[in-house]
Amino acid sequence: MKTVFYLITLGLILTACNAAQPVAPEQALATTRTAWNASRHTVWDIDWPNAPLAGEVTVEEWRAGSRLRLEILETNAPDLLGQTLVINGNQAWRFNRLDLPASESPTTPVLSPVTDAFAQIERLLAQSPASATSRQVVVNTVAATQIELSLAAGETLRVAVAQTTGLPVFVEFTAGSQHGRLRARSALPLEHPPAALFAVN
């Protein structure tokens, strides 16, 4: 029932304003890569039914170059609530922010299903699309340009980029049996983040 409600809501918030038009694949890919790699502070709702850890997850993301901080805010899996991954560009730490003090032992940079979804997106962005389309949409009242990349073996990547910030506000990927969506509740540029944000605290 929750998934049905989510899909209905998605239909209301992701409103097409015009028909998709073909665009140069290389330019579309470059625009999408730039948006995805931009420094940002985003709260994502992730819906990926057949993810390694299936279900709906809400995660707060801080990204600045090779530095990344993820905090799981909402989830159907109790063990995931509060889980935090911090990458300072050289090392990674995982801990539960609700169960401090955190261990200071470095670990692998994995926080499923969030980093798995990011890895799927980045794998698709590493490919050369056969074709691409663009259309104007509105996501959560934010005017955006939605780019859809058609890739090899029927894989697709659709990214809505906010016109005011250049940040991604909606991502949908199809890769074989994998089909996932990320929708931003909020997305803001991350300028001059403090070093402590990417440290164990």
Side-chain angles (χ1 to χ4, degrees):
M1 183 62 131
K2 188 174 180 181
T3 301
V4 172
F5 174 76
Y6 176 82
L7 292 174
I8 293 171
T9 304
L10 182 63
L12 295 174
I13 61 173
L14 187 61
T15 306
C17 298
N18 61 0
Q21 299 293 324
V23 293
E26 298 81 4
Q27 181 180 353
L29 178 62
T31 299
T32 308
R33 282 177 175 166
T34 298
W36 179 255
N37 292 317
S39 295
R40 61 180 181 260
H41 177 202
T42 307
V43 176
W44 292 108
D45 287 327
I46 301 177
D47 182 20
W48 185 7
N50 56 351
L53 292 175
E56 299 174 10
V57 172
T58 299
V59 62
E60 190 166 8
E61 172 200 30
W62 294 264
R63 178 186 294 258
S66 61
R67 298 177 297 167
L68 181 69
R69 184 184 183 100
L70 301 171
E71 296 183 3
I72 294 183
L73 306 178
E74 299 173 18
T75 175
N76 294 328
D79 290 345
L80 280 180
L81 187 62
Q83 288 295 320
T84 300
L85 175 69
V86 174
I87 302 173
N88 68 2
N90 297 309
Q91 292 182 311
W93 296 268
R94 180 172 169 176
F95 57 93
N96 193 313
R97 72 179 189 284
L98 305 177
D99 187 25
L100 297 175
S103 168
E104 295 189 11
S105 300
T107 186
T108 55
V110 174
L111 181 57
S112 292
V114 182
T115 52
D116 303 274
F118 288 1
Q120 284 280 2
I121 294 164
E122 287 155 10
R123 183 184 66 81
L124 295 173
L125 284 173
Q127 300 182 35
S128 295
S131 62
T133 61
S134 175
R135 70 194 308 176
Q136 302 307 306
V137 298
V138 176
V139 182
N140 282 359
T141 74
V142 175
T145 300
Q146 177 180 286
I147 297 171
E148 182 167 347
L149 306 174
S150 297
L151 304 156
E155 296 182 327
T156 60
L157 180 65
R158 184 181 299 142
V159 180
V161 180
Q163 294 175 4
T164 55
T165 63
L167 298 177
V169 290
F170 177 82
V171 182
E172 183 175 26
F173 60 84
T174 301
S177 62
Q178 303 297 324
H179 185 173
R181 294 186 183 93
L182 291 73
R183 177 177 59 85
R185 291 188 183 180
S186 61
L188 297 170
L190 183 61
E191 300 176 354
H192 312 299
L197 186 60
F198 304 102
V200 178
N201 54 45

